[in-house]
Amino acid sequence: MTDPAPRRRGRPSRTEEESGPGARTRILEAARAQFAERGYDKASVRGIAKAAGVDPALVHHYFGTKDEVFAAAIEVSFEPAAVLPAILGGPREAIGERLARFFIGVWENPASRAPLLAIVRSALTHEAAAKVLRTFVLRRLLERIAAELDVPDPGFRAELAASHMIGIVIMRYVIQVEPLASADPERIVEQVAPTLQRYLTEG
Amino acid sequence: MTDPAPRRRGRPSRTEEESGPGARTRILEAARAQFAERGYDKASVRGIAKAAGVDPALVHHYFGTKDEVFAAAIEVSFEPAAVLPAILGGPREAIGERLARFFIGVWENPASRAPLLAIVRSALTHEAAAKVLRTFVLRRLLERIAAELDVPDPGFRAELAASHMIGIVIMRYVIQVEPLASADPERIVEQVAPTLQRYLTEG
């Protein structure tokens, strides 16, 4: 008996362009847009694949499940791998200021703000999205920051710093409470930096 | 021509018990429960009235629109009118600690946490609910705190303090990120108090 010919499932054939290195970036951009527009629960791998012009199997191939696409879409919004070493590795006495300026900068940029807003909203209303953010925040971000700190309870301290930044995001960009909603970003950095500095460096 | 007899619109007649002083409390409790269980958009004045055993007109009579019922349900969850004077009026050097302890205490109490969680979730996903929270937070709480402060930009400072507390709520009770989610409340108060103290008292 010979192997049966591979079945075609009615998928479009993959061209070089479709499955090439550009496809991964297109999928991530489509995922950011879909999660931003539709929220976590209504976005789908199928919809993301369609928007990126690729087969859904390619989305699974690159990222795995919908949750993993979601995590990757969060990560691409502020690229912690590229930025954290510079924030954590610079002069210790200005770590609070660097972190505050970076964080506010990401949120002041409309291109990164829209998908991040969608993520925050999704995480606050859907346990599955909360779990992705929790795992993501905990594993990839807070633990990495905590590993660089020389204070008691570094994980707890890193999370207090993160909680302040998340609260500012909620008040300024989501609920939009004045005067914070219209405040100059530099004034926020100036006030928040000493708080982050204390959490991250003072025993 | 004589006035026509008042039309009965098929409502149940109001007994003493139904419209008496106990009715207001029952409506508020029903509103808290309805907003907590169903969220802002799905809760209705009709549903709240039914749960409280009163006519919907009585809900309107006491509170006005659904938005105003929502604001009243937020307020009854932590009674700022009763508590703020004690927090703001005590010794100035411990204002951060009193505020942190009060805020964490409200959220540690399951009876107040459930409706507040629903409110936070609603405000993050529905503009109408966000507007109620914004107006409420701004007008009734932040302005009152700011009026007691002797720092430059008291409204901005009060809101930075509020943003930190809201961020802790999000991380600890909504997204439930460890180690903050399981931390002893007193450890949180101890760390957060100096931050609130600086925002509220140091020029």
Side-chain angles (χ1 to χ4, degrees):
Chain A
M1 223 160 61
T2 55
D3 287 340
R7 269 190 289 173
R8 294 191 51 110
R9 296 191 235 158
R11 283 186 201 150
S13 65
R14 292 188 198 157
T15 62
E16 264 302 299
E17 192 204 353
E18 190 187 304
S19 60
R24 195 177 186 282
T25 307
R26 285 209 312 283
I27 292 168
L28 272 183
E29 285 305 315
R32 291 217 307 179
Q34 291 272 315
F35 285 119
E37 281 162 29
R38 307 175 59 83
Y40 174 83
D41 56 329
K42 287 184 187 140
S44 67
V45 167
R46 180 171 293 273
I48 291 165
K50 194 178 170 193
V54 302
D55 192 282
L58 199 65
V59 178
H60 289 299
H61 169 73
Y62 277 127
F63 299 102
T65 65
K66 174 176 160 180
D67 281 359
E68 288 164 314
V69 182
F70 188 63
I74 299 174
E75 205 164 20
V76 81
S77 295
F78 58 110
E79 301 181 285
V83 175
L84 273 187
I87 291 174
L88 298 171
R92 182 62 28 142
E93 68 276 13
I95 191 173
E97 187 185 330
R98 287 195 299 276
L99 196 56
R101 180 161 286 123
F102 165 67
F103 189 81
I104 296 291
V106 167
W107 281 90
E108 284 297 299
N109 177 354
S112 39
R113 188 195 307 168
L116 284 171
L117 267 183
I119 286 156
V120 168
R121 287 201 165 103
S122 293
L124 289 158
T125 44
H126 295 93
E127 174 49 28
K131 193 179 167 191
V132 177
L133 191 58
R134 188 163 61 223
T135 309
F136 168 75
V137 171
L138 182 68
R139 291 216 184 126
R140 304 207 194 160
L141 217 77
L142 291 178
E143 284 187 357
R144 235 145 106 188
I145 294 174
E148 299 289 326
L149 302 181
D150 184 25
V151 287
D153 273 323
F156 181 58
R157 298 299 200 83
E159 204 177 337
L160 286 174
S163 76
H164 194 9
M165 293 188 283
I166 284 179
I168 286 170
V169 160
I170 302 287
M171 294 285 264
R172 178 174 168 92
Y173 304 105
V174 183
I175 311 180
Q176 299 177 15
V177 187
E178 295 295 354
L180 192 58
S182 308
D184 178 349
E186 271 304 308
R187 281 186 62 216
I188 300 172
V189 170
E190 185 188 296
Q191 285 293 324
V192 170
T195 301
L196 305 185
Q197 185 71 24
R198 182 171 72 79
Y199 287 143
L200 301 181
T201 64
E202 289 173 32
Chain B
M1 220 159 67
T2 57
D3 286 341
R7 268 188 293 174
R8 292 190 53 109
R9 295 190 238 162
R11 283 184 200 148
S13 65
R14 290 185 199 160
T15 62
E16 264 302 299
E17 193 207 350
E18 190 186 303
S19 61
R24 196 177 184 282
T25 307
R26 286 209 311 284
I27 292 168
L28 273 183
E29 285 306 315
R32 290 216 309 181
Q34 291 273 313
F35 284 119
E37 281 163 26
R38 305 175 60 82
Y40 174 84
D41 56 330
K42 286 182 188 142
S44 68
V45 167
R46 180 172 295 273
I48 290 164
K50 194 178 171 192
V54 302
D55 192 282
L58 199 65
V59 178
H60 289 301
H61 170 71
Y62 278 126
F63 299 101
T65 64
K66 174 176 161 180
D67 282 359
E68 288 163 316
V69 182
F70 187 64
I74 300 174
E75 205 164 19
V76 82
S77 295
F78 58 110
E79 301 182 285
V83 176
L84 273 188
I87 291 174
L88 298 171
R92 182 63 29 140
E93 68 276 13
I95 189 172
E97 188 186 330
R98 286 194 301 277
L99 196 56
R101 180 162 286 123
F102 165 67
F103 190 80
I104 296 292
V106 167
W107 281 91
E108 283 298 299
N109 177 354
S112 40
R113 187 194 308 166
L116 284 170
L117 267 183
I119 286 157
V120 168
R121 287 201 165 104
S122 293
L124 289 159
T125 44
H126 294 93
E127 173 49 27
K131 193 179 165 191
V132 176
L133 191 58
R134 187 163 60 224
T135 309
F136 168 75
V137 171
L138 182 67
R139 289 215 187 127
R140 303 205 194 161
L141 219 77
L142 290 178
E143 285 188 356
R144 235 145 106 187
I145 295 173
E148 299 289 326
L149 302 181
D150 186 24
V151 287
D153 274 323
F156 181 58
R157 298 299 200 83
E159 205 176 337
L160 286 174
S163 76
H164 194 7
M165 292 187 283
I166 284 179
I168 287 171
V169 160
I170 301 287
M171 295 284 264
R172 178 174 170 92
Y173 305 105
V174 183
I175 311 179
Q176 299 177 15
V177 187
E178 295 295 355
L180 192 58
S182 309
D184 178 349
E186 271 303 308
R187 280 186 63 216
I188 301 172
V189 171
E190 185 188 296
Q191 285 294 325
V192 170
T195 301
L196 305 186
Q197 185 72 24
R198 183 171 72 79
Y199 287 144
L200 301 181
T201 65
E202 289 172 31

